[in-house]
Amino acid sequence: MLDQTQVERLEAEAVNSAKTRQPLYAARKKIFPKRASGRFRQFKWLVLAITLGIYYLTPWLRWDRGPFAPDQAVLIDLANRRFYFFFVEIWPQEFYYVAGLLMMAGVGLFLITSTVGRAWCGYTCPQTVWVDLFLAVERSIEGDRNARIKLDAAPWSARKLFLRISKHAIWLVIAVATGGAWIFYFADAPKLLGEVITGTAAPVAYATIAVLTGTTYVFGGLMREQVCTYMCPWPRIQAAMLDENSLTVTYNDWRGEPRSRHAKKASAAGQSVGDCVDCNACVAVCPMGIDIRDGQQLECITCALCIDACDSVMDKLGRERGLISYATLADYNANMALATGGGTSPVDPALVRTASGSFVDGLAHFHLGKIFRLRTYIYLGAWSAIGLVLVYSLLTRERLELNVLHDRNPQFVTLSDGAIRNGYTVKLLNMIPEPRTIEVMLEGLDGGEMSVVGIDQAPGRSFTVPVEPDRLKMLKVFVRQPASQIRKPAQSFEFRIKDKANSETAEYTATFNAPENSR
């Protein structure tokens, strides 16, 4: 175990200090985060690998849908107005599924924030993931925090120019790969890759790559924390999602104060000394440039790297981990009340520790049950309800649809034998990637018969027509009714269609118009 004076004190100052807020238009102060190690850093690496793996590899996954549909597992086919997701195919009129997924994402974000704070921002937000990746490149080329600070302050030289060009070149490669991966979601990935390389891809593909390359490079490499602080609205919204039982990254000053780097001398002099040795390790690793010891701040993305840094210092000193930890406001307030004698005095470490140095039994500790409260269940219930409705709708939706448009002008035609004829545009929608033979039937309308333009078949009450896979078939249909059968100027009847292979059906109620004097 080390003494406090043997713990390195880092010359780190919070760039975004809660005590001295910078003017909105002040020049940016660069942040040089120190490399952190620990369980949260390892978890962040795992999340980074999973999220980037999903993003870059998904367009290359294959899914066999038969000979009449693309075999790319995830494809946004704008040309044919389709969205494919493994076994699910979404048509334009089914956009409510996408709306439902967006609602689930929103409610899920509320659920996560209300329980574990800005976990989305700290671990899975694309801005966080790419900044982590860019920082890893920067450290591997320029070195850790102190080396980068020295390099930044040093005059330009051949070495500095080489390191900077190398770093930015790799950043640009990552940015180009980011934009390149995105376009593969909108066309067959292997084919599009060949077209991009040979220069034969559509101009919009190159424009998309250029735009996403620029935004990734600027946001992830140059702006970094400024995107989270000034551009993202979530820091301003998150406060409404939090309550006293939400988990947030917290500096437990009820055990850390008063800070001292000379605990033995202070104790010998009869002074109270907390666990914080003021080493600034938590400040040095923060990618947002804040000091978590200042309390909750808008800039904090709860990445928990300060927890790893502080835990490593506590391990060296032989003290309990958790000086900085995930904690709820309710537990923090309870422990502060205990450490301050109910708020009547400054923090006194002696009030939270026994004579042997262990924590007293009255301290509040977090347990998983605290985040499961009414608010959590409401969010979880809303999220689950939306998901169940979407799943039920997917499982029960019809894959054969019928739509009919009555001719507007003329509404009807009187034939030479006195019969009345109405014209309709009948649309048969085959929503599966297989060809179908559809039977179109006329139900109701006494004495009525159909004839179809382009089909050589005698007028009757039914006919069959082939429909291509995943296609809309439009038919011009004329319905004729003898004058003797007409009872009123507007009669309702039904067009009914049926798949002869699986008996799937669809109906549409139409109107047959006739002149007033035909009755």
Side-chain angles (χ1 to χ4, degrees):
M1 292 185 292
L2 303 179
D3 185 71
Q4 283 92 331
T5 55
Q6 296 176 279
V7 176
E8 178 189 6
R9 188 175 194 276
L10 301 173
E11 295 302 321
E13 181 180 354
V15 171
N16 296 313
S17 175
K19 298 177 180 178
T20 55
R21 287 289 181 184
Q22 296 294 321
L24 181 60
Y25 298 104
R28 179 198 181 201
K29 294 182 179 180
K30 291 185 179 180
I31 299 173
F32 302 90
K34 181 180 173 60
R35 180 185 286 109
S37 60
R39 48 183 175 152
F40 291 105
R41 177 64 268 181
Q42 292 300 320
F43 181 66
K44 281 173 67 66
W45 286 131
L46 176 63
V47 172
L48 182 145
I50 292 174
T51 51
L52 290 180
I54 291 173
Y55 177 72
Y56 286 115
L57 298 179
T58 296
W60 302 93
L61 299 178
R62 303 291 101 182
W63 187 268
D64 185 13
R65 300 185 180 92
F68 302 103
D71 64 351
Q72 187 163 310
V74 179
L75 177 64
I76 304 172
D77 189 356
L78 295 180
N80 295 304
R81 294 180 295 177
R82 304 284 189 279
F83 171 54
Y84 298 96
F85 185 82
F86 293 94
F87 62 90
V88 177
E89 178 184 357
I90 303 297
W91 285 61
Q93 65 268 29
E94 297 177 315
F95 191 78
Y96 52 82
Y97 287 113
V98 178
L101 290 175
L102 292 176
M103 292 174 61
M104 288 187 68
V107 175
L109 186 58
F110 297 160
L111 171 63
I112 294 297
T113 304
S114 67
T115 53
V116 292
R118 291 178 67 182
W120 160 262
C121 300
Y123 299 98
T124 55
C125 174
Q127 174 67 12
T128 298
V129 171
W130 264 273
V131 167
D132 270 357
L133 181 59
F134 279 29
L135 277 173
V137 172
E138 184 175 87
R139 290 191 186 102
S140 64
I141 294 175
E142 297 182 354
D144 204 5
R145 183 174 184 272
N146 291 338
R148 300 203 309 278
I149 292 175
K150 291 179 181 178
L151 181 67
D152 191 68
W156 283 99
S157 63
R159 177 180 177 274
K160 181 174 180 179
L161 184 63
F162 174 76
L163 293 178
R164 288 293 166 87
I165 290 177
S166 300
K167 177 181 73 174
H168 287 276
I170 296 177
W171 282 0
L172 282 172
V173 170
I174 295 172
V176 171
T178 301
W182 179 250
I183 64 172
F184 294 143
Y185 285 87
F186 295 86
D188 184 68
K191 180 181 177 181
L192 182 56
L193 177 61
E195 293 176 347
V196 169
I197 294 175
T198 58
T200 58
V204 68
Y206 297 105
T208 302
I209 293 175
V211 170
L212 289 181
T213 295
T215 53
T216 304
Y217 173 76
V218 173
F219 291 169
L222 304 180
M223 295 185 67
R224 295 182 181 174
E225 79 288 344
Q226 291 182 300
V227 174
C228 304
T229 303
Y230 300 112
M231 296 177 62
C232 180
W234 193 242
R236 281 105 182 140
I237 300 173
Q238 65 160 339
M241 300 293 105
L242 300 175
D243 59 26
E244 65 276 5
N245 292 308
S246 301
L247 273 179
T248 57
V249 175
T250 305
Y251 167 62
N252 296 307
D253 48 2
W254 51 267
R255 62 168 279 197
E257 300 296 324
R259 308 172 197 174
S260 175
R261 290 192 53 79
H262 305 283
K264 291 183 177 179
K265 293 181 180 179
S267 298
Q271 300 175 3
S272 297
V273 179
D275 287 346
C276 180
V277 296
D278 202 20
C279 63
N280 287 337
C282 55
V283 182
V285 300
C286 180
M288 300 300 295
I290 67 171
D291 187 343
I292 192 63
R293 296 172 296 181
D294 292 338
Q296 285 297 309
Q297 297 159 67
L298 175 147
E299 295 86 359
C300 180
I301 59 173
T302 67
C303 63
L305 295 182
C306 53
I307 297 179
D308 282 340
C310 188
D311 282 349
S312 66
V313 174
M314 293 297 105
D315 289 344
K316 293 176 182 178
L317 297 174
R319 298 180 182 176
E320 301 90 340
R321 291 185 168 193
L323 177 57
I324 301 175
S325 65
Y326 272 103
T328 66
L329 180 61
D331 288 345
Y332 171 82
N333 287 337
N335 292 336
M336 275 296 290
L338 186 63
T340 59
T344 59
S345 63
V347 173
D348 184 359
L351 296 177
V352 295
R353 290 189 182 273
T354 63
S356 62
S358 61
F359 289 122
V360 298
D361 294 335
L363 284 175
H365 297 282
F366 171 77
H367 58 82
L368 194 60
K370 291 186 177 182
I371 65 174
F372 291 99
R373 55 197 189 280
L374 178 60
R375 186 174 188 172
T376 305
Y377 289 122
I378 291 175
Y379 284 137
L380 185 59
W383 184 85
S384 302
I386 297 171
L388 290 174
V389 169
L390 290 179
V391 171
Y392 175 78
S393 179
L394 277 172
L395 295 177
T396 60
R397 63 179 178 164
E398 299 291 340
R399 299 287 79 197
L400 180 65
E401 290 190 4
L402 170 66
N403 191 26
V404 179
L405 296 176
H406 194 293
D407 288 353
R408 292 188 176 185
N409 190 20
Q411 292 262 325
F412 56 85
V413 173
T414 303
L415 303 179
S416 58
D417 61 357
I420 303 300
R421 188 183 73 184
N422 283 206
Y424 303 87
T425 300
V426 177
K427 300 179 180 180
L428 310 177
L429 185 57
N430 178 16
M431 301 176 70
I432 63 173
E434 298 176 6
R436 291 186 175 191
T437 300
I438 303 299
E439 181 179 7
V440 182
M441 296 168 284
L442 180 67
E443 295 188 349
L445 198 66
D446 296 339
E449 293 179 331
M450 293 184 295
S451 60
V452 184
V453 176
I455 295 182
D456 186 14
Q457 179 179 323
R461 292 184 67 84
S462 69
F463 61 89
T464 58
V465 58
V467 182
E468 295 178 347
D470 255 342
R471 288 292 182 268
L472 173 69
K473 181 92 171 183
M474 296 181 62
L475 303 172
K476 185 63 179 180
V477 178
F478 292 107
V479 178
R480 174 184 178 276
Q481 186 179 31
S484 60
Q485 299 290 330
I486 298 176
R487 300 290 180 264
K488 51 185 178 180
Q491 305 175 74
S492 294
F493 70 98
E494 283 191 346
F495 284 103
R496 185 169 182 268
I497 61 174
K498 177 182 178 181
D499 184 343
K500 303 194 74 173
N502 59 20
S503 299
E504 188 176 358
T505 62
E507 297 84 22
Y508 189 95
T509 301
T511 301
F512 186 87
N513 295 324
E516 289 281 348
N517 58 6
S518 64
R519 290 176 290 176

